[in-house]
Amino acid sequence: MTNETGERPWKRFQNKVVFITGGSKGIGFASAKYFLQEGAIVVICSRSAENVDSALEKLKKYGKVYGEVGDLSEEKIVEKIFEKVHSQFGRIDVLINSAGITKPAKIEDISLDEWRYIIDNNLTISFLTCKHVLKYMKEKRYGNYLAKHCLQQK
């Protein structure tokens, strides 16, 4: 239901704090835009400061958006970033895991190092962020988690 200006008079995620891994591109970026339009306070995270800055510039017209830079496959970095977000906003209501990569290649052409990098991005980040966000969600007795990954196909 919309009002006379075409806007919804209520927003589903008004003032909820939403943390999005891989939020600077692709599905994560689209998710950030959606949650901002629904009234959320959104924190996006990526390994690349350039990608975060670019995404923030595009997203800021939709609402309150913040960026963090870090390799979330490193447990200490996950802990540090979540502590910072929790300290700033007092809670983390929603975790969206959309960070993920793929290497379009035959399995026999993927090196073990490349495989480990893919696993770190697609599984370790999800594991670590879920593990460490639970502390804050349990504290408030509220929270939502969504893992949203996509693989490219050529």
Side-chain angles (χ1 to χ4, degrees):
M1 184 171 181
T2 60
N3 62 20
E4 58 278 354
T5 63
E7 296 178 338
R8 284 190 298 276
W10 56 272
K11 297 186 178 188
R12 292 180 56 200
F13 291 93
Q14 191 68 43
N15 296 318
K16 299 290 185 191
V17 178
V18 178
F19 188 93
I20 304 176
T21 71
S24 65
K25 297 192 287 186
I27 292 170
F29 181 87
S31 297
K33 181 180 172 184
Y34 168 79
F35 280 99
L36 287 166
Q37 291 171 326
E38 288 293 333
I41 299 163
V42 173
V43 181
I44 62 171
C45 188
S46 173
R47 283 186 172 107
S48 164
E50 184 178 320
N51 289 348
V52 168
D53 291 343
S54 175
L56 290 175
E57 189 61 34
K58 294 171 190 168
L59 291 168
K60 67 182 180 183
K61 65 184 170 189
Y62 299 106
K64 297 176 186 174
V65 60
Y66 303 85
E68 291 294 333
V69 176
D71 180 352
L72 297 177
S73 69
E74 299 292 332
E75 191 162 19
K76 294 291 183 197
I77 293 173
V78 173
E79 290 175 306
K80 179 181 166 192
I81 288 175
F82 279 173
E83 285 172 10
K84 181 180 176 185
V85 171
H86 183 263
S87 175
Q88 185 172 358
F89 300 108
R91 65 192 193 283
I92 301 170
D93 299 303
V94 179
L95 169 63
I96 307 290
N97 263 315
S98 66
I101 62 164
T102 187
K103 179 177 170 134
K106 294 178 184 175
I107 195 162
E108 61 265 24
D109 295 333
I110 298 173
S111 72
L112 184 56
D113 286 341
E114 291 168 323
W115 174 251
R116 287 183 173 138
Y117 185 73
I118 291 167
I119 293 299
D120 275 351
N121 276 273
N122 296 341
L123 296 177
T124 305
I125 289 173
S126 289
F127 165 73
L128 289 174
T129 55
C130 187
K131 174 183 175 182
H132 289 286
V133 80
L134 282 175
K135 168 172 93 172
Y136 303 110
M137 290 180 173
K138 284 180 176 181
E139 178 183 286
K140 295 292 182 181
R141 300 187 64 172
Y142 178 85
N144 292 283
Y145 169 75
L146 175 66
K148 188 136 178 101
H149 299 285
C150 179
L151 297 178
Q152 288 181 330
Q153 185 175 348
K154 285 191 174 192

